[in-house]
Amino acid sequence: MLYFSRWKAILIWLAVAVTFVLAAPNLIPADTLAKLPSWVPKKQMTLGLDLQGGSHILLQIDQNDLIKDRLEASRDEIRTLLRDAKIGYTGLSGSGRVVQVRIRDVAQVDAAKEALKGLVAPITSGLFSGGTITEWTEDEPEPGLLRFTMTDAGVKYRSSTALTQSIEVVDRRVNELGTTEPIVQRQGDDRIVVQVPGLQDPQRLKEILGQTAKLTFQMVDQTMPVQEAINGRPPAGSSVLYSKDDPPVPYLIENRVIVSGENLTDAQATFNSQTNEPVVSFRFDSKGATRFGQATQQNVGKLFAIILDNQVISAPQIREPILGGTGQISGNFTAQSANDLAVLLRAGALPATLTVVEERTVGPGLGQDSIQAGKIAGIIGSILVVGFMFVAYGFLGFLANIALAVHVAMIVGLLSLLGATLTMPGIAGIVLTIGMAVDSNVLIYERIREERRQGRSVIQAIDTGFAKALATIVDSNVTSFIATIVLFWLGSGPVKGFAVTFAIGILTTVFTAFTFTRLLVSIWLRRAKPKELPRAPVTFVKPGTKFPFMGLRRWTFALSTLLSIMSVVLFMTVDINYGVDFKGGSTIEVQSKSGPADIADIRGKLSELNIGDVQVQQFGSPTDVLIRVAAQEEGDNAEQSVIDKVRAELQDKYEFRRVEVVGPTVSSELATQGTIGMLVALVGILIYVWFRFEWQFAVGAIVATVHDIVMTIGFFCITGIEFNQSSIAAILTIIGYSLNDTIVVYDRVREDLRKYKKTPMPTILNTAINETLSRTTLTAVTTILALLALVLFGGEVIRSFTLAMLFGVVFGTYSSIFIAAPLLILFKLRQAPDAAEEKPANGKALTT
């Protein structure tokens, strides 16, 4: 077990060297890195939006808007086709998904069906297995009345097509802003995720993304005064539209479109040579230039309107034919608004309205603060864990610390190699794996000590210790890995970043603890030839401890039952402090630009905005304020209006460091995902433990884990800490940690059951718990030290996450001993023998 061939040792050292080479660029400034030779690895970890600042925006396509547009287009198509076929009709109308028309002459119904057959013809689509779909179905409910109904497949096809087109348009718009490495991705059937790192003006991004930008050139109808049309009824084929002025100016506009934005080939923000005012210069393609030239030739002296999203930008007079295919759009623009309009026109119009259903924006200042807090927490946590391991194991602890350094380097190197995004919860994941990574070393070292106490030689004890610890290490890490996979599957943004980091940490732990540490120990054995194991400066758990844990099981069951009932009652009677992730609404973190923040003044200003329930509280330092606004009943658009109002009211005196807006659509989905996540994790762990052990072990592990979840929820109820998506991450991590602890105890119970076939179950459990007590204690302490560093120095952003984790580690350790183990007695894993009990080796049987 301790023998390493030359090639195997070389490969291990080579893997370690490659790891440090991959991780090294993260320690070198970017400008220095750029000057190094091209063959030098330069790939660094990508910082998440919460560390470098930027915006995460989730857009949802408005399906009703899409159906409405398709209905209008089909109605216009029916009108054109019937007119071209010279078929008289009346009552052409549409509502919902239905368009109907009445043919005046029943004798022409067949001719009408022939003219409109293209509408109901199958559409070729690679999205469907059959290759074609039918968008419209036709029926004739009564003679002469033709009714066309849009099918579900047609709606799905149009939505998918519109989403694909919208992604292209959004991508062009974001790239036109000149931002660095933006991400535009499809999410589900009707959503687009936009992530723009380092963005300084998220409001401008939202305005550009949320505008449909349907540009049309239409004639102004001058056959009737516009006021008369408003008071009465506009002429057929015309509508009243309003300008973007304040107050808006009405215009009577002909519905017929002369030319649209689809015919534009370019648009640029420029200045009018005569007035020096910002304008947008545009150029048509050949088709658009021809149509625009013909229209201006035929309407010299008349007014034509430039319309953007049903609002009149300007309505100039045609003084002479415009034949060159170029022109200018003017309309009280600023330099930025002219540039934004040019961006929109170049990118093209969206096929349907996009609604912001989720927004998470972090200012660059807060991002730098988070990086600094993460570095400090990481350094302090590492120092505490490294110091503790040396105190607990002496020279063996020193070897474990070397393996721990390789472990951290491997995480950073793999994150860099994979191009993974490092978030603030990801930093927490690294610090947490530092605390948990030593668990495998602790398991190995405690086994080695135990084997040595039983009389084996140093080499035999070390060899057997590594061999016996392997199964436990694998079992305990697999259970944590299951919870992490679920977290990655259901999480989003920073939570997914935590899952990636933690998963990589679990994998590297197995390598560094079992393979690399074993290599270091074998080198030490070969060179030092020790006669005894290195002594530790401090012994935390005295060898041969025989505490009668099972004698307390009735008391601990009673205590846990009481606490669980209290937690459930609190959950049902006391409103848990749900964050915006689960109840919708807005969370805004602001920082005073000068001096301490005036809480009363902020509260007074916001109370006048008529935005519902508002909570204002100090957050961290005296200059920082956290504002929570309750969810708006009017829906997702109303949530965005809240941010606009708050920003307008406070931006002069306060810097907006963080904005989170979650609409009702997303919040309900996140709540459902969180519940499903915990259930899936529990079922997955149940199946694995059942597969590896017996059913009593599996059920006992799940009951103990559910106990920890209930206790953690009670902790949130009592403390009032915000329960958000990162809290779900904390609970899933607690599930993994608690199971890790429980599996270690169960693994020893299973081993002792094979050794002592007639020993009563309480005695077996007492023996197993006492044999693993040193490991349980040391692992809990190292994890708690790492978490304490995060709680005290990691910053406010992840404090609720780390506090929940700290509480969960304490109760997870408790439940492994006092809940999971005694349940095996309750489930009658082994009946009490009739014969005298068999004594465990090196000691008398423990009383219960």
Side-chain angles (χ1 to χ4, degrees):
M1 192 74 180
L2 290 174
Y3 172 75
F4 287 84
S5 66
R6 182 186 296 260
W7 286 109
K8 191 173 182 179
I10 290 174
L11 287 175
I12 293 173
W13 284 112
L14 184 62
V16 172
V18 169
T19 290
F20 278 95
V21 169
L22 292 174
N26 294 281
L27 301 175
I28 303 173
D31 52 350
T32 304
L33 203 61
K35 298 176 183 177
L36 296 178
S38 58
W39 54 267
V40 175
K42 299 178 182 180
K43 200 169 184 180
Q44 295 178 317
M45 287 185 294
T46 303
L47 296 182
L49 299 181
D50 55 346
L51 293 178
Q52 64 171 315
S55 288
H56 164 100
I57 293 176
L58 183 61
L59 302 164
Q60 185 172 40
I61 199 165
D62 190 334
Q63 196 174 80
N64 292 328
D65 184 39
L66 194 66
I67 294 172
K68 181 183 175 183
D69 286 350
R70 186 60 191 145
L71 209 66
E72 290 178 359
S74 298
R75 193 171 56 202
D76 291 342
E77 186 178 355
I78 290 171
R79 180 186 295 113
T80 302
L81 290 171
L82 291 178
R83 283 180 177 175
D84 290 345
K86 296 181 172 53
I87 297 173
Y89 66 90
T90 185
L92 177 59
S93 62
S95 63
R97 294 189 183 184
V98 177
V99 179
Q100 62 183 24
V101 62
R102 185 177 295 278
I103 307 302
R104 287 199 181 100
D105 186 354
V106 178
Q108 288 188 302
V109 169
D110 290 338
K113 289 181 179 180
E114 180 65 23
L116 300 176
K117 68 179 182 180
L119 195 65
V120 295
I123 299 174
T124 301
S125 172
L127 298 174
F128 296 86
S129 57
T132 61
I133 62 151
T134 301
E135 184 180 9
W136 295 92
T137 58
E138 176 194 341
D139 66 313
E140 189 177 356
E142 58 183 78
L145 182 64
L146 300 182
R147 183 168 61 192
F148 300 88
T149 305
M150 196 173 189
T151 64
D152 291 338
V155 172
K156 185 175 182 180
Y157 167 71
R158 290 296 172 183
S159 296
S160 179
T161 304
L163 186 64
T164 302
Q165 184 181 343
S166 296
I167 291 173
E168 294 175 358
V169 173
V170 167
D171 190 49
R172 287 196 295 267
R173 290 184 183 182
V174 173
N175 282 297
E176 286 278 2
L177 292 175
T179 54
T180 305
E181 297 182 356
I183 297 172
V184 180
Q185 294 176 335
R186 180 180 187 138
Q187 185 179 90
D189 296 329
D190 60 352
R191 291 180 184 168
I192 302 171
V193 174
V194 180
Q195 293 183 344
V196 187
L199 186 68
Q200 302 292 327
D201 189 358
Q203 191 63 25
R204 183 183 176 208
L205 174 66
K206 284 192 298 181
E207 289 173 356
I208 287 177
L209 294 182
Q211 197 163 339
T212 309
K214 289 184 178 178
L215 182 74
T216 58
F217 295 82
Q218 298 168 229
M219 295 304 300
V220 176
D221 188 341
Q222 296 175 280
T223 60
M224 174 189 292
V226 66
Q227 197 59 46
E228 186 177 329
I230 294 173
N231 296 333
R233 184 176 180 180
S238 296
S239 303
V240 176
L241 298 180
Y242 291 85
S243 72
K244 301 180 71 173
D245 301 305
D246 188 18
V249 178
Y251 291 90
L252 185 59
I253 306 295
E254 293 182 7
N255 294 340
R256 182 175 60 91
V257 174
I258 299 172
V259 66
S260 69
E262 295 175 359
N263 299 114
L264 288 179
T265 58
D266 190 26
Q268 298 290 337
T270 58
F271 290 91
N272 187 300
S273 58
Q274 297 178 347
T275 62
N276 204 33
E277 292 178 346
V279 295
V280 177
S281 298
F282 61 85
R283 184 170 66 251
F284 288 121
D285 59 17
S286 58
K287 182 180 177 181
T290 300
R291 294 178 62 179
F292 192 65
Q294 290 174 348
T296 54
Q297 271 184 326
Q298 297 167 5
N299 294 281
V300 173
K302 296 181 180 180
L303 302 178
F304 79 98
I306 302 171
I307 300 167
L308 182 70
D309 292 342
N310 288 326
Q311 286 187 304
V312 179
I313 297 179
S314 61
Q317 186 180 38
I318 303 173
R319 300 185 185 278
E320 57 185 17
I322 304 174
L323 304 176
T326 61
Q328 288 183 347
I329 303 174
S330 59
N332 298 322
F333 291 122
T334 63
Q336 180 169 306
S337 64
N339 186 66
D340 288 348
L341 177 57
V343 167
L344 292 171
L345 297 181
R346 285 198 302 272
L350 291 168
T353 303
L354 293 177
T355 303
V356 178
V357 294
E358 181 185 10
E359 175 195 352
R360 300 181 191 274
T361 298
V362 176
L366 180 60
Q368 288 299 318
D369 291 349
S370 296
I371 293 173
Q372 191 63 26
K375 286 180 179 178
I376 294 173
I379 291 171
I380 293 176
S382 300
I383 290 173
L384 290 175
V385 172
V386 165
F388 181 81
M389 284 298 291
F390 185 76
V391 168
Y393 291 105
F395 182 74
L396 287 179
F398 171 72
L399 297 182
N401 288 333
I402 295 176
L404 195 62
V406 173
H407 163 76
V408 175
M410 289 191 83
I411 294 177
V412 175
L414 286 173
L415 286 174
S416 302
L417 181 65
L418 297 173
T421 300
L422 181 66
T423 61
M424 190 61 196
I427 293 178
I430 293 176
V431 177
L432 184 58
T433 57
I434 289 172
M436 294 182 67
V438 297
D439 175 54
S440 297
N441 288 110
V442 170
L443 274 168
I444 294 167
Y445 288 169
E446 288 303 309
R447 271 291 190 178
I448 291 172
R449 285 178 172 179
E450 189 177 334
E451 297 297 326
R452 180 62 178 148
R453 286 195 296 268
Q454 292 179 3
R456 297 182 186 273
S457 67
V458 172
I459 294 179
Q460 288 177 330
I462 292 174
D463 191 51
T464 306
F466 272 101
K468 288 187 175 181
L470 178 59
T472 307
I473 291 171
V474 171
D475 284 336
S476 59
N477 280 286
V478 166
T479 52
S480 295
F481 198 68
I482 290 172
T484 308
I485 290 173
V486 174
L487 192 59
F488 179 81
W489 174 41
L490 294 175
S492 63
V495 174
K496 187 165 286 192
F498 168 80
V500 170
T501 305
F502 197 61
I504 291 174
I506 291 172
L507 296 176
T508 57
T509 292
V510 176
F511 171 80
T512 54
F514 190 76
T515 302
F516 185 66
T517 303
R518 190 158 52 93
L519 176 63
L520 294 178
V521 171
S522 69
I523 293 172
W524 168 67
L525 283 174
R526 190 167 59 251
R527 294 188 176 182
K529 296 181 174 56
K531 302 298 182 183
E532 190 54 73
L533 293 174
R535 292 185 177 276
V538 178
T539 300
F540 290 89
V541 177
K542 187 178 179 180
T545 300
K546 296 180 175 62
F547 189 84
F549 290 99
M550 294 303 100
L552 301 174
R553 67 181 185 273
R554 293 177 179 83
W555 293 99
T556 56
F557 274 157
L559 175 62
S560 291
T561 301
L562 177 63
L563 291 176
S564 297
I565 292 172
M566 289 175 60
S567 293
V568 172
V569 171
L570 280 171
F571 179 71
M572 297 177 67
T573 57
V574 177
D575 286 337
I576 196 168
N577 184 19
Y578 289 109
V580 296
D581 291 336
F582 298 120
K583 66 179 182 181
S586 308
T587 297
I588 307 163
E589 183 183 341
V590 299
Q591 186 177 65
S592 174
K593 293 180 179 179
S594 61
D598 189 338
I599 303 292
D601 180 59
I602 293 175
R603 190 177 288 118
K605 287 181 177 179
L606 298 185
S607 63
E608 299 174 358
L609 297 180
N610 192 28
I611 55 176
D613 183 34
V614 179
Q615 298 177 10
V616 182
Q617 65 184 70
Q618 189 175 323
F619 183 71
S621 68
T623 60
D624 296 332
V625 176
L626 189 67
I627 302 168
R628 291 191 179 94
V629 184
Q632 306 296 299
E633 296 179 358
E634 292 80 6
D636 296 308
N637 286 325
E639 302 290 352
Q640 292 299 315
S641 298
V642 166
I643 300 300
D644 295 340
K645 291 178 180 179
V646 173
R647 191 182 295 275
E649 195 68 34
L650 301 179
Q651 63 184 355
D652 291 340
K653 294 183 179 179
Y654 295 89
E655 174 193 346
F656 281 68
R657 290 164 63 82
R658 176 167 63 99
V659 175
E660 294 185 8
V661 184
V662 179
T665 307
V666 173
S667 61
S668 61
E669 291 174 1
L670 291 176
T672 303
Q673 285 180 350
T675 305
I676 293 173
M678 284 189 284
L679 293 176
V680 170
L682 290 174
V683 171
I685 291 167
L686 174 67
I687 293 172
Y688 179 79
V689 178
W690 198 331
F691 175 77
R692 291 285 292 140
F693 296 84
E694 297 177 45
W695 72 265
Q696 291 96 331
F697 288 97
V699 176
I702 293 301
V703 171
T705 304
V706 171
H707 163 273
D708 297 338
I709 294 172
V710 172
M711 291 294 103
T712 305
I713 290 175
F715 170 75
F716 277 102
C717 291
I718 292 172
T719 59
I721 294 174
E722 183 179 292
F723 190 87
N724 49 36
Q725 202 176 4
S726 67
S727 304
I728 295 291
I731 290 176
L732 284 170
T733 311
I734 289 168
I735 289 174
Y737 179 87
S738 177
L739 261 296
N740 185 308
D741 233 11
T742 301
I743 292 299
V744 170
V745 175
Y746 276 2
D747 196 72
R748 184 56 66 94
V749 170
R750 181 176 58 178
E751 183 180 328
D752 288 348
L753 282 169
R754 294 168 182 162
K755 290 166 61 177
Y756 314 121
K757 299 183 182 302
K758 295 183 179 180
T759 304
M761 197 64 208
T763 306
I764 290 284
L765 293 173
N766 275 329
T767 303
I769 293 171
N770 278 285
E771 287 173 344
T772 57
L773 186 60
S774 180
R775 173 266 160 200
T776 301
T777 304
L778 295 175
T779 297
V781 171
T782 53
T783 308
I784 287 171
L785 287 173
L787 286 170
L788 274 175
L790 286 170
V791 170
L792 298 176
F793 306 103
E796 294 288 340
V797 175
I798 60 168
R799 183 150 295 160
S800 63
F801 170 83
T802 50
L803 281 172
M805 276 298 305
L806 190 60
F807 177 86
V809 166
V810 173
F811 263 84
T813 305
Y814 161 83
S815 68
S816 298
I817 297 173
F818 293 107
I819 303 298
L823 282 172
L824 298 179
I825 301 174
L826 188 65
F827 295 152
K828 301 185 185 305
L829 179 63
R830 170 183 288 183
Q831 300 289 347
D834 294 329
E837 67 181 50
E838 181 181 340
K839 296 178 183 179
N842 297 334
K844 298 180 179 180
L846 298 171
T847 60
T848 61

